[in-house]
Amino acid sequence: MRHVTFVDDNDVTLLESGTAFFPALIEALDAAQYDVLFETYIFAEDPTGDMVRDALIRAAQRGVKVRVLVDWIGTEHRPAQRLGAIFTQAGVQYRVFNPWCKRGIARSHRKIAVVDRTVAFVGGINVNDDWLCDHAAHQRLAAPRWDFTVQVRGPLVAQIHDEAQGQWLRAGRLKLKQRIELFKEMRKEPPQTCKYPARAAFVVRDNLRNRSTIQRAYLQALGRAKHSVLLATPYFAPGRKFRKALAHAARRGVQVTLLIGVGEFPIQDAVAHSFYPKLLADGIKVVEYRKTQLHAKVAVVDDDWATVGSSNCDGLSLFLNQEANVVVLDERFAATMRAHIERAILDGVPVRAEEFAHIGWLRRASYGAAYMVYKLVMRIFAIGYA
């Protein structure tokens, strides 16, 4: 298990939802001079997807080396094929992660863009319309999807670039000449950047050296928490270690608040509900977000620790998927992230222990059954990665 390594002198900017992220991304792509690495789980066939696709193509047509990696499950087979044909014709290098699930159910759930090794974007935002549901492209949401990405400048960008390039290599078969060229490229010194105050770390989860790195980052922060923890996640079904860390923090007097998205997948809601009695008994505040689709995977601990990324707090993200988060040690950034989460909590519905206690036995039994099924499925999936 690799340790979380922080790097000084970074500028980390929080971008809320696609309205902030896509203009910043396209501005960076239009300014690209020599290299773009782009990863996403979903690359939708909608006006937002067309806008990003066209910006990537414009860069390639200027002579920029553009590499795009999408996930086969997230982008779906036929859209991925159509996208690949368009990109290939336009000179964009294109690959699909784990086509036809040849490597089991492994998914590249990461959302990363690196431009000229000077600016990087890491977060939870897919390439799709904020107003359309992730899993039902024609279903319009009641309000724009709630999600975040960070824009990073500074020394950390070199690490993000190297990881994205490594993922590109793992996703394809390269000839010897191509491997030599990429090795030479990786040895180049990254461009000099200005120094900024934020300490930050780039943490990934894979099935090789980083099987528990993202969870470890969370556990370390929860173990050191002194007064508050705010955590927002679309799906809540972490392992025992994670749940115990939340409970221990609450028992120490730390104010622990979970903001959980509901209403997207009934089975996932039932699994989350199975944890509520224990969470509430441990003094953890649980709030359900029902305003729109909560897709953010963010947290703030105390006044100076925050994370933004692609990793949900569930078994798929913590134990199976390929994921990527940025962890920031900076009071200003943490305060900004905290303000966003607190506003979302005001839009949520608190779960009260007395109300939950009056739920009928049949529904309560269904929650327990959902958890047992979920646990069994996760164990089956995990066999291939043990």
Side-chain angles (χ1 to χ4, degrees):
M1 182 187 297
R2 298 181 66 183
H3 293 277
V4 178
T5 303
F6 287 90
V7 178
D8 291 320
D9 303 326
N10 298 282
D11 177 21
V12 185
T13 303
L14 186 66
L15 304 174
E16 183 179 17
S17 298
T19 53
F21 168 51
F22 293 121
L25 171 67
I26 289 171
E27 180 181 359
L29 292 175
D30 283 339
Q33 298 180 28
Y34 64 89
D35 181 65
V36 171
L37 280 160
F38 189 87
E39 295 182 31
T40 188
Y41 179 64
I42 296 172
F43 204 126
E45 294 179 309
D46 63 22
T48 298
D50 294 346
M51 182 173 60
V52 176
R53 179 201 65 199
D54 292 346
L56 290 163
I57 289 174
R58 286 197 299 272
Q61 291 176 340
R62 294 196 308 272
V64 176
K65 183 178 183 178
V66 180
R67 288 166 282 179
V68 175
L69 177 66
V70 305
D71 184 79
W72 187 78
I73 295 176
T75 300
E76 300 179 358
H77 168 53
R78 292 192 183 281
Q81 277 191 321
R82 289 192 290 267
L83 185 65
I86 294 170
F87 274 145
T88 301
Q89 186 175 12
V92 173
Q93 297 181 46
Y94 176 80
R95 286 182 182 159
V96 178
F97 184 87
N98 195 19
W100 301 104
C101 293
K102 294 178 181 178
R103 296 166 54 186
I105 57 95
R107 304 185 303 168
S108 183
H109 195 240
R110 308 174 352 161
K111 293 88 177 176
I112 301 172
V114 190
V115 179
D116 290 347
R117 292 208 284 178
T118 60
V119 58
F121 300 88
V122 179
I125 302 176
N126 288 299
V127 181
N128 57 353
D129 194 310
D130 279 347
W131 284 91
L132 298 178
C133 183
D134 275 335
H135 58 87
H138 301 293
Q139 180 180 327
R140 190 168 177 82
L141 300 170
R145 185 186 303 103
W146 191 61
D147 206 348
F148 293 93
T149 285
V150 289
Q151 177 180 279
V152 182
R153 294 182 184 274
L156 191 64
V157 175
Q159 290 187 19
I160 301 170
H161 176 275
D162 289 348
E163 171 59 33
Q165 185 157 262
Q167 185 79 325
W168 174 261
L169 288 171
R170 291 188 291 271
R173 297 178 179 178
L174 296 184
K175 297 179 181 178
L176 178 61
K177 182 179 179 181
Q178 292 173 308
R179 291 185 178 276
I180 292 173
E181 289 176 354
L182 282 173
F183 178 73
K184 290 179 179 178
E185 182 180 327
M186 291 178 73
R187 295 191 64 183
K188 292 179 182 177
E189 288 296 322
Q192 296 297 315
T193 58
C194 299
K195 292 190 174 183
Y196 301 98
R199 298 191 72 203
F202 180 60
V203 289
V204 300
R205 206 222 75 84
D206 57 37
N207 294 302
L208 297 171
R209 294 183 300 162
N210 301 289
R211 295 170 69 94
S212 303
T213 309
I214 291 178
Q215 175 166 279
R216 181 184 178 88
Y218 270 110
L219 296 180
Q220 289 175 343
L222 292 172
R224 292 193 296 263
K226 295 179 180 178
H227 59 80
S228 70
V229 172
L230 293 175
L231 190 154
T233 181
Y235 320 119
F236 184 83
R240 186 171 299 176
K241 286 183 179 180
F242 199 109
R243 300 197 307 270
K244 286 178 67 174
L246 291 168
H248 288 166
R251 290 170 189 165
R252 294 197 310 270
V254 177
Q255 294 182 345
V256 180
T257 302
L258 302 181
L259 180 64
I260 301 175
V262 296
E264 188 177 358
F265 300 111
I267 184 67
Q268 185 64 55
D269 292 349
V271 173
H273 289 158
S274 72
F275 297 110
Y276 285 5
K278 185 67 168 63
L279 293 170
L280 296 169
D282 287 329
I284 296 170
K285 182 179 180 181
V286 179
V287 180
E288 293 186 341
Y289 189 81
R290 304 175 184 175
K291 180 179 178 180
T292 186
Q293 184 183 356
L294 187 159
H295 198 258
K297 309 94 165 56
V298 296
V300 178
V301 177
D302 292 339
D303 298 320
D304 62 352
W305 188 98
T307 187
V308 177
S310 67
S311 180
N312 298 301
C313 290
D314 70 348
L316 282 174
S317 282
L318 294 174
F319 305 117
L320 292 176
N321 287 346
Q322 312 271 308
E323 304 283 3
N325 281 35
V326 169
V327 179
V328 184
L329 296 180
D330 182 75
E331 291 186 1
R332 289 179 297 177
F333 184 88
T336 301
M337 188 75 263
R338 175 182 293 277
H340 282 285
I341 298 176
E342 288 177 341
R343 283 197 294 270
I345 288 172
L346 293 176
D347 288 330
V349 178
V351 178
R352 306 191 187 282
E354 59 272 18
E355 295 174 0
F356 201 79
H358 289 90
I359 290 176
W361 69 268
L362 188 59
R363 183 182 297 180
R364 192 182 299 276
S366 72
Y367 297 160
Y371 170 69
M372 294 305 295
V373 171
Y374 178 86
K375 190 173 181 179
L376 176 62
V377 170
M378 289 302 304
R379 285 184 174 178
I380 293 172
F381 284 163
I383 289 174
Y385 305 100

